[in-house]
Amino acid sequence: MDPRRDPDLEALAEHLRQADVLDPAELRELIPSVLILEGVAVRESQPFDAQAIADLRAANQRLRDSADDPAAAALADDAFHRRLTAGCTNAQLLEVLDLVRKALLRYERLYMLSPERLARSVGEHEAIVAALESGDTALAAERVRENFTSGLPDLEAEMRDPGRP
């Protein structure tokens, strides 16, 4: 184990690695965590320059282009959110955020099975980028919150009743 890693974080990471069942209760715990962590990271980020905006748009285009591949779509979404927080210099915050994101990837694959949810996510990402482009990180953080919560009810319902239309 890396001596710089907190033992509590290691225990959390191990728990998240072992979890393989999609659980609506877990999702309801992960979403607020990612909302808080990513919102703080966006607010603490360096200003988003033209290259950062271009990188975000490219990641969002990869998401749009992977509409027929939920696994690729989930990875493209993850890449968007990782680029979104890449300008944050708080290493501890990013370490915890990374653990939560890894746990959310399993749920993202299910989320991306729906073309409607994928399209909604692409649009929400565009709103985040527009806020950043105008220099409004507070609005961007609010748009991140909307991105993570807009599909939560649908996803929870699907997890509870996978056969529903």
Side-chain angles (χ1 to χ4, degrees):
M1 177 169 74
D2 183 342
R4 297 170 296 177
R5 298 249 342 200
D6 182 301
D8 291 332
L9 286 178
E10 286 298 323
L12 176 61
E14 182 58 27
H15 169 74
L16 294 174
R17 278 191 292 274
Q18 291 179 5
D20 63 352
V21 175
L22 296 180
D23 178 7
E26 179 188 41
L27 181 62
R28 282 216 162 268
E29 293 170 1
L30 290 170
I31 292 294
S33 299
V34 78
L35 293 176
I36 292 166
L37 296 167
E38 193 161 307
V40 171
V42 168
R43 285 183 180 94
E44 288 186 5
S45 289
Q46 301 297 319
F48 288 77
D49 61 15
Q51 184 60 55
I53 296 296
D55 292 346
L56 287 167
R57 284 201 170 106
N60 204 32
Q61 184 61 48
R62 285 192 304 277
L63 174 58
R64 183 182 285 112
D65 293 343
S66 57
D68 294 331
D69 184 348
L75 291 174
D77 183 73
D78 187 60
F80 177 89
H81 288 277
R82 287 181 185 283
R83 181 58 188 101
L84 186 61
T85 59
C88 177
T89 59
N90 184 332
Q92 289 177 314
L93 172 68
L94 293 177
E95 184 177 3
V96 175
L97 181 55
D98 180 62
L99 294 173
V100 175
R101 278 191 185 128
K102 286 177 181 173
L104 276 173
L105 267 177
R106 298 175 301 120
Y107 296 95
E108 286 288 340
R109 285 189 290 274
L110 178 62
Y111 185 85
M112 295 302 174
L113 286 171
S114 163
E116 294 81 18
R117 290 191 301 244
L118 186 141
R120 180 178 11 181
S121 191
V122 166
E124 290 164 348
H125 288 181
E126 289 170 357
I128 293 166
V129 173
L132 293 172
E133 206 166 28
S134 71
D136 193 339
T137 55
L139 179 59
E142 174 61 22
R143 297 294 181 251
V144 167
R145 184 193 65 74
E146 291 169 6
N147 179 235
F148 280 111
T149 59
S150 66
L152 183 59
D154 290 345
L155 188 55
E156 282 185 317
E158 186 169 327
M159 288 172 20
R160 292 183 198 284
D161 183 11
R164 90 187 216 312

